[in-house]
């Protein structure tokens, strides 16, 4: 069964850091782009970042550029999102998603919640 | 704010057909594939339509997608109570070098 399980969310103060993890199973992780998408309370979905199969290409939404870093380790079937200089507006449920190509997401995890307090 | 615009809500009675529009521009829908996702609160979002009008295997043919120019639409026919959810269009935006979601449409089954 294809599965993505996020972890690492929690409560952090403004300006702090957090590292989200996504454990993948049931498919060949190295064949796929991977993405992070978030949903702030009461808001819609917002794409955050994606990374190519070999990590050679990474793209970010403007609001997180310079603060967030997407990483992967194909040997460990793992994806991470390193979040620094967190802002209150980064408060959201963060989803990990598998991407057959850079522009679509076919399998999603259940998400992990990040709360940034002021 | 999102660069893809959807109506905030849509509704219908069981068995009816509901259509959701998605309006974009030449840098996103006009030059790239459109995708549609269904999201029920507290669950993982689900891919409904890929590459404009393709359904993932196992998805009922009640869901269909289309695209014309810089706009796209999702149609749900034979509406069922389990279709009550939020629906999002999405596409790659060449100007932003990023993936953009629509504003989202909440579908209510009356």
């Amino acid at each position: 069964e294809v599965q993505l399980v996020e972890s690492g969310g929690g409560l952090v103060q403004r300006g702090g850091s957090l590292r989200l993890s996504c454990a993948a199973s049931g498919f060949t992780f190295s064949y796929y782009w991977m993405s992070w998408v978030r949903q702030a309370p009461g808001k819609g979905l917002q794409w955050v970042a994606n990374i190519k199969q070999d990590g050679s290409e990474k793209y970010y939404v403007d609001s997180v550029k310079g603060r967030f870093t997407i990483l992967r380790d194909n040997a460990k079937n793992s994806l991470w999102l390193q979040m620094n200089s967190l802002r209150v507006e980064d408060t959201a449920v963060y989803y990990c998603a598998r991407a057959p190509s850079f522009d679509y997401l076919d399998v999603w995890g259940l998400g992990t919640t990040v709360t940034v307090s002021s | 704010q999102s660069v893809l615009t959807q109506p905030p809500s849509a509704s219908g009675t069981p068995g009816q057909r509901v259509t959701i529009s998605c309006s974009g521009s030449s840098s996103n829908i006009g030059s790239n594939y459109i995708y549609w996702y269904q999201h029920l609160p507290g669950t993982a979002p689900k891919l409904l339509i890929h590459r404009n009008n393709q359904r993932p295997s196992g998805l009922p043919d009640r869901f269909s997608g289309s695209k014309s120019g810089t706009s796209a639409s999702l149609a749900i026919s034979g509406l069922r109570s389990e279709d009550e959810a939020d629906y999002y269009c999405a596409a790659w935006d060449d100007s932003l070098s990023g993936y953009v979601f629509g504003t989202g449409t909440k579908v209510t089954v009356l």
Side-chain angles (χ1 to χ4, degrees):
Chain A
E1 180 193 3
V2 175
Q3 198 169 15
L4 297 170
V5 179
E6 303 93 337
S7 61
L11 176 63
V12 62
Q13 283 196 324
R14 182 178 54 192
S17 297
L18 212 53
R19 186 174 174 105
L20 304 184
S21 299
C22 173
S25 60
F27 65 98
T28 305
F29 184 73
S30 61
Y31 284 6
Y32 292 85
W33 285 75
M34 294 297 294
S35 290
W36 287 98
V37 175
R38 66 185 179 184
Q39 184 175 37
K43 303 292 186 181
L45 298 175
Q46 181 187 40
W47 170 82
V48 174
N50 65 2
I51 184 169
K52 196 175 180 180
Q53 289 91 333
D54 62 358
S56 62
E57 292 182 39
K58 303 177 184 181
Y59 299 93
Y60 299 91
V61 67
D62 282 349
S63 58
V64 309
K65 283 178 183 175
R67 300 188 300 123
F68 290 12
T69 302
I70 187 170
L71 302 157
R72 67 187 296 161
D73 185 330
N74 291 340
K76 296 181 178 178
N77 292 337
S78 294
L79 177 74
W80 297 277
L81 186 67
Q82 177 66 43
M83 305 186 296
N84 299 330
S85 304
L86 280 161
R87 304 170 180 169
V88 172
E89 54 265 36
D90 295 320
T91 294
V93 176
Y94 284 74
Y95 298 97
C96 163
R98 186 180 80 169
S101 72
F102 68 94
D103 66 342
Y104 86 100
L105 313 170
D106 71 339
V107 177
W108 299 60
L110 289 174
T112 186
T113 301
V114 172
T115 304
V116 184
S117 67
S118 55
Chain B
Q1 73 231 40
S2 177
V3 298
L4 301 182
T5 303
Q6 300 177 233
S9 63
S11 63
T13 56
Q16 277 191 329
R17 175 184 170 95
V18 167
T19 302
I20 301 168
S21 62
C22 176
S23 178
S25 68
S26 58
S27 64
N28 42 66
I29 298 177
S31 52
N32 294 297
Y33 290 120
I34 189 78
Y35 300 87
W36 290 91
Y37 301 90
Q38 178 193 62
H39 189 207
L40 285 81
T43 69
K46 177 182 177 181
L47 176 69
L48 287 182
I49 298 291
H50 64 97
R51 296 190 174 174
N52 300 337
N53 55 19
Q54 303 300 302
R55 280 186 305 276
S57 61
L59 191 82
D61 59 5
R62 300 188 298 107
F63 296 92
S64 61
S66 64
K67 173 183 141 175
S68 178
T70 59
S71 295
S73 63
L74 173 73
I76 310 173
S77 60
L79 197 63
R80 304 174 69 158
S81 58
E82 57 259 40
D83 298 331
E84 197 161 274
D86 297 319
Y87 292 81
Y88 296 88
C89 59
W92 187 262
D93 190 293
D94 293 331
S95 297
L96 299 174
S97 291
Y99 199 55
V100 290
F101 284 94
T103 47
T105 299
K106 183 174 183 60
V107 168
T108 303
V109 181
L110 302 170

